[in-house]
Amino acid sequence: MSTINFDETPIELIYMIISKIFEETHENRLLNEWSCSKYLREKLQSQYDLIIKDSVAYKTFKELIDYWDEKRLLNEKVGKEEAIEMFNAISILDLHQNEIQTSNYQKLLKNMFTALLSLILKQ
């Protein structure tokens, strides 16, 4: 995370973070096995809340939401908790990425984050 420039626009910032997470996890054999193994996914699903809240992605997104709230960039119609819930929903989607019929998962994820940011940030 120390290589990320947090002064970027929100969508570029999110994309850089997601790309970095993909880069780091791609090289991790345990995480690769988790994403490919239905058995492991089912076992870990029961611990999902603990796994997500301890994850780098969750902590980073929570920090970003706090930062955007402090800078008054959040849409007043969407609270911090709702924004975090939306990020969590994308995390659930990510857990099931092998079930999604797409030729370009990273592009789909970027589009999802773009849509999410258009909801939670002021226009």
Side-chain angles (χ1 to χ4, degrees):
M1 292 284 109
S2 63
T3 63
I4 302 295
N5 178 4
F6 285 86
D7 293 326
E8 292 288 338
T9 64
I11 189 59
E12 288 304 316
L13 179 58
I14 290 292
Y15 190 65
M16 286 188 307
I17 290 170
I18 294 302
S19 296
K20 190 66 171 170
I21 290 170
F22 278 148
E23 178 185 316
E24 295 295 322
T25 56
H26 180 70
E27 296 172 11
N28 185 308
R29 290 178 61 202
L30 178 62
L31 293 176
N32 283 323
E33 185 64 28
W34 176 12
S35 66
C36 296
S37 169
K38 183 178 178 183
Y39 173 78
L40 281 177
R41 276 196 319 276
E42 288 173 355
K43 290 295 182 189
L44 293 171
Q45 195 75 28
S46 65
Q47 300 295 316
Y48 178 75
D49 287 341
L50 295 173
I51 292 167
I52 290 300
K53 292 192 175 162
D54 282 341
S55 74
V56 170
Y58 177 85
K59 290 176 183 176
T60 302
F61 295 143
K62 186 167 180 347
E63 286 178 26
L64 283 174
I65 291 168
D66 289 341
Y67 174 79
W68 292 331
D69 185 48
E70 180 182 302
K71 296 289 186 183
R72 300 190 190 281
L73 298 174
L74 288 181
N75 181 345
E76 295 87 16
K77 295 178 183 177
V78 179
K80 284 172 46 172
E81 291 303 314
E82 188 175 356
I84 290 170
E85 289 170 356
M86 289 182 206
F87 277 111
N88 287 344
I90 291 179
S91 296
I92 292 169
L93 171 79
D94 191 54
L95 282 175
H96 295 275
Q97 65 180 274
N98 62 333
E99 299 168 35
I100 298 171
Q101 301 294 320
T102 183
S103 60
N104 191 342
Y105 179 74
Q106 287 189 355
K107 182 177 179 184
L108 171 66
L109 199 58
K110 185 175 182 180
N111 289 340
M112 298 285 289
F113 276 113
T114 301
L116 171 63
L117 291 174
S118 73
L119 287 172
I120 68 170
L121 296 175
K122 291 179 181 176
Q123 300 298 322

